[in-house]
Amino acid sequence: MATPRTALALAFLLPVAATAQLTCADAVVVGIGTHTAPPVTGAAPVANCGGVFNLGTHGLWYRFTPTANMVLTVSSYNIGLPAVDTRLHVYRGPCDALECHAGGDDEGPGYTTIATFPVLAGTTYTLVWDDTWSAQGFTFTMQESTVPVNVVFFTLQLVPGLSNVMGLVDMNDDGLDDLVSPNDVNFKVAHQQPNGTLPITTYPTTTAVNAASWSFAVGDWDSNGHRDLMYGGGSGATFMTANASGTAFTQFSPPQYIFCQRTNFADLNNDGHLDAFTCHDVDANVAFINNGAGQLVFTQGGYGTTCGNYGSIFTDIDNNGTNDLFVAKCGCDPEDLLMLNNGTGTFANTAPALGLADGHQSWSSAWGDYDNDGDMDVLIGASSGTVHKLLYNNGDGTFVAAPAGNGMDQWTGLSVEWTAHDFNNDGWIDILGGQALHYNNQDGTFSHDPVAPHNQAVGDIDNDGLLDLATFNGYYRNIGNDHHYNHIRIHPRGTVSNRDAIGARVTITSALGTQIRDIRSGDGFAYMSHIGAHFGLGADTVVTAVSIRWPNGDVETFTDLAINTTHVIEQGTSTAVAQPAPTPFALAPNPANDHLTFTGAAPTSTYSVVDAGGRTVLTSQATNGRIPVQTLVPGAYVLQLTDAGAVRNARFVKW
């Protein structure tokens, strides 16, 4: 993150008196600098953007409109002044249609607030301090810093009715990622719809013997076409298995004591059946072997025999076609494990010989091909005490440390979650973790964006081709940047191999070169991200080949696949052209500034735009799937689009 502009330094020398008004309509306009807030006596905020607790009963209302794109830090922490326990909500949009943009609570000393978030030039943001913890007056500062290169912007989207979201994964096999919230007596799924809505379905269950308190994994272990759930708790594992229609779930909680940490689904013995795995904190790791007859058989030993096992991930480390196991360790036996798969269900630890037996506190690791040379590299992330370790694969499962100055060797932010995904679609995998998003600079170095959300499940919740992040009660929507890079998504479906094709490797070739992804269930430490292969393409407009190496060893190659869409490919279909999944109706970008582009409807469809008050403010015919919106004032709208008599409604935001 760039340092704040020097020219702003003088703005912080003197407080700026600003008596906050009591409602959104008469919010006080504030700018960069220091402001004195009176006691909190105004109207309550309209939505909770600052934490997981209830809204305050009163608020202080301010308004800020930046003149340039920037990263804004709003802080109630002031050296030399008494610490006041504050909480901040940040909204965008008009007063009658406010939507969460950011928030903060307890980031600074003495329970003060330090909220950092991106803002766009010309967009008005409403800042509300509430009285949840204190109604005292206080002083706050607003500080500007420059936007990092290649950064993408995220906006907070709350989903009423959801809490404890731990998954961002397709649960009904429609090619669209969903938000999943596992609870003790049910789990809830916000099913993404082609029109952009997220209706919630509640699936009642028997009371879970072991709640998903430590980790959560998803996979169709019985191959009935419906994905099942695995909860990792402090006393054991619990499985919720879908029935033949996916409408009800049966609990199976093995009696064995397991202090579960990371859980995964993987085909451990390469027999075509999906097994389950869990790290054990105080004993040898545990597997549940699928016998192919509807049973998961408890097995212990052979996957790391000592304690302190935290973050497990299955990926092909030595490029031999089998998925190996890496375990990040913490606690009683701190040396990380690299268990190479011999192809018959047994694993051998080679971490000491390969220089991967680190002894620092590490809860997870991020595996991805950071240099696009066709093999999996690794960032072993520290959760306390030491810096992170970035290593590059030599192509045969041996490793060499990244040269000094790579950016990750000097980053001191710590976390338990570390994952690897391409968030800006430039074709190079980024790193999420350590209280930041670390962008791959394509030259062996990484730049850091501590403003970005972190430590959540990853998937595309709005089907716009950009990877979003789940959060406790909603998601952070990735709205991209000015590059508008292309992408392609591949969802393999196994037939001879397990149905989710977990363990498959997908390779694509474009002008950028070659990229690889391994299909996994469970990475990072706790959350469940999308099952599939998401590739950014940068400015490339053609993917010359897509190759899938299935878990059973079969290899299929597909050509002429369309970009900017999702392709569902079933094992054994053909080596010619895979047919893409039907294009769902979707809008992008959303929020929009100048134009909306839609897919899934005739490009010359007629449309109307309705504002938050129910008034029709635009009506016309689209041109080439584009709708001009530059004349709209910032706020929330509904697009009503008519195609061959069918009406599609979709909500969007104008910046």
Side-chain angles (χ1 to χ4, degrees):
M1 180 65 58
T3 20
R5 298 177 186 175
T6 312
L8 299 173
L10 293 177
F12 297 94
L13 296 179
L14 295 174
V16 177
T19 303
Q21 301 300 318
L22 303 183
T23 68
C24 179
D26 50 11
V28 167
V29 175
V30 292
I32 302 300
T34 302
H35 309 280
T36 301
V40 185
T41 58
V46 298
N48 187 359
C49 313
V52 300
F53 299 97
N54 295 330
L55 282 171
T57 57
H58 295 88
L60 296 177
W61 294 77
Y62 298 90
R63 186 163 294 129
F64 174 67
T65 305
T67 57
N69 293 352
M70 66 178 68
V71 173
L72 182 67
T73 297
V74 182
S75 173
S76 65
Y77 172 63
N78 299 274
I79 297 175
L81 296 179
V84 177
D85 192 352
T86 54
R87 187 170 69 166
L88 175 69
H89 312 272
V90 182
Y91 306 105
R92 61 183 184 274
C95 287
D96 59 353
L98 293 174
E99 293 189 333
C100 281
H101 179 74
D105 185 27
D106 295 348
E107 295 84 6
Y111 305 107
T112 56
T113 300
I114 305 176
T116 302
F117 48 93
V119 292
L120 300 179
T123 299
T124 296
Y125 299 88
T126 301
L127 287 66
V128 185
W129 301 92
D130 77 10
D131 64 343
T132 294
W133 309 117
S134 173
Q136 292 179 237
F138 57 94
T139 297
F140 69 95
T141 59
M142 298 175 59
Q143 182 174 348
E144 172 191 4
S145 58
T146 56
V147 178
V149 177
N150 294 324
V151 69
V152 294
F153 293 92
F154 294 87
T155 63
L156 177 63
Q157 309 285 326
L158 300 180
V159 181
L162 280 189
S163 62
N164 193 43
V165 175
M166 296 188 69
L168 215 175
V169 59
D170 182 8
M171 288 297 297
N172 55 355
D173 209 23
D174 63 353
L176 301 174
D177 291 331
D178 310 307
L179 295 169
V180 188
S181 169
N183 302 291
D184 290 354
V185 296
N186 61 49
F187 69 91
K188 296 181 178 181
V189 180
H191 288 290
Q192 183 185 166
Q193 303 298 302
N195 65 1
T197 59
L198 293 168
I200 296 173
T201 301
T202 299
Y203 297 91
T205 64
T206 53
T207 302
V209 174
N210 304 289
S213 54
W214 286 99
S215 73
F216 177 58
V218 170
D220 183 8
W221 74 263
D222 58 356
S223 296
N224 71 345
H226 301 283
R227 286 174 171 158
D228 313 302
L229 315 179
M230 181 183 183
Y231 302 167
S235 298
T238 285
F239 297 88
M240 297 292 180
T241 303
N243 64 3
S245 62
T247 56
F249 291 76
T250 301
Q251 177 176 182
F252 167 55
S253 293
Q256 293 85 1
Y257 170 74
I258 313 167
F259 194 161
C260 295
Q261 300 292 336
R262 175 75 260 177
T263 53
N264 314 84
F265 284 104
D267 186 356
L268 297 174
N269 53 8
N270 203 33
D271 64 352
H273 301 300
L274 200 59
D275 311 299
F277 177 89
T278 177
C279 284
H280 199 330
D281 191 1
V282 297
D283 205 344
N285 292 322
V286 169
F288 295 91
I289 301 299
N290 187 340
N291 65 4
Q295 295 177 314
L296 294 170
V297 181
F298 176 88
T299 305
Q300 188 170 19
Y303 310 98
T305 58
T306 60
C307 52
N309 306 290
Y310 274 57
S312 50
I313 186 169
F314 288 86
T315 196
D316 186 1
I317 292 167
D318 53 3
N319 282 356
N320 70 346
T322 61
N323 269 215
D324 310 296
L325 166 64
F326 184 83
V327 179
K329 301 266 276 185
C330 178
C332 70
D333 178 10
E335 288 195 357
D336 299 335
L337 303 175
L338 176 54
M339 309 292 295
L340 289 184
N341 189 339
N342 71 359
T344 60
T346 60
F347 294 76
N349 183 27
T350 61
L354 299 178
L356 294 177
D358 291 293
H360 64 269
Q361 299 271 18
S362 180
W363 287 40
S364 61
S365 58
W367 287 82
D369 186 5
Y370 297 123
D371 52 1
N372 283 353
D373 68 346
D375 50 51
M376 288 292 172
D377 312 304
V378 62
L379 186 285
I380 303 174
S383 59
S384 66
T386 184
V387 297
H388 322 294
K389 189 172 183 179
L390 178 64
L391 301 107
Y392 286 99
N393 196 325
N394 293 317
D396 57 0
T398 63
F399 293 84
V400 61
N406 59 75
M408 299 307 302
D409 54 349
Q410 298 177 352
W411 183 253
T412 57
L414 304 170
S415 68
V416 302
E417 289 285 344
W418 293 89
T419 55
H421 305 272
D422 184 359
F423 287 95
N424 56 10
N425 279 349
D426 67 348
W428 296 78
I429 290 180
D430 311 305
I431 298 171
L432 185 69
Q435 305 174 47
L437 201 168
H438 312 275
Y439 290 98
N440 192 329
N441 295 324
Q442 308 177 17
D443 60 0
T445 66
F446 291 79
S447 58
H448 318 292
D449 178 14
V451 174
H454 51 274
N455 296 356
Q456 287 97 10
V458 177
D460 187 358
I461 192 59
D462 54 2
N463 201 37
D464 66 348
L466 293 163
L467 292 176
D468 312 299
L469 290 158
T471 188
F472 180 83
N473 51 356
Y475 61 97
Y476 286 95
R477 184 173 184 273
N478 182 346
I479 62 173
N481 53 33
D482 293 336
H483 293 302
H484 306 297
Y485 286 144
N486 297 312
H487 75 282
I488 190 170
R489 296 183 75 185
I490 308 298
H491 284 185
R493 287 179 179 164
T495 53
V496 179
S497 304
N498 68 86
R499 193 176 186 280
D500 285 326
I502 292 169
R505 172 162 290 183
V506 183
T507 303
I508 72 164
T509 304
S510 72
L512 276 173
T514 298
Q515 299 182 57
I516 63 172
R517 302 287 188 271
D518 285 352
I519 309 301
R520 303 165 180 155
S521 172
D523 60 354
F525 176 72
Y527 302 107
M528 179 66 210
S529 297
H530 69 104
I531 298 176
H534 176 101
F535 297 90
L537 298 174
D540 289 358
T541 58
V542 174
V543 174
T544 55
V546 174
S547 176
I548 302 177
R549 187 193 68 204
W550 300 92
N552 73 325
D554 292 348
V555 177
E556 295 182 88
T557 301
F558 305 85
T559 58
D560 301 324
L561 297 187
I563 66 170
N564 296 330
T565 192
T566 298
H567 299 269
V568 180
I569 301 177
E570 187 169 284
Q571 186 176 9
T573 53
S574 172
T575 56
V577 179
Q579 298 300 313
T583 303
F585 181 69
L587 298 178
N590 189 5
N593 188 9
D594 296 324
H595 288 82
L596 280 171
T597 301
F598 61 85
T599 56
T604 56
S605 299
T606 58
Y607 66 87
S608 298
V609 174
V610 180
D611 68 12
R615 299 177 295 271
T616 299
V617 294
L618 286 178
T619 184
S620 189
Q621 185 176 24
T623 303
N624 296 323
R626 287 167 60 87
I627 298 171
V629 296
Q630 63 265 37
T631 61
L632 298 177
V633 299
Y637 296 89
V638 174
L639 173 69
Q640 298 177 342
L641 187 138
T642 303
D643 174 21
V647 179
R648 296 174 171 87
N649 295 312
R651 190 165 173 267
F652 72 94
V653 174
K654 167 65 167 62
W655 287 105

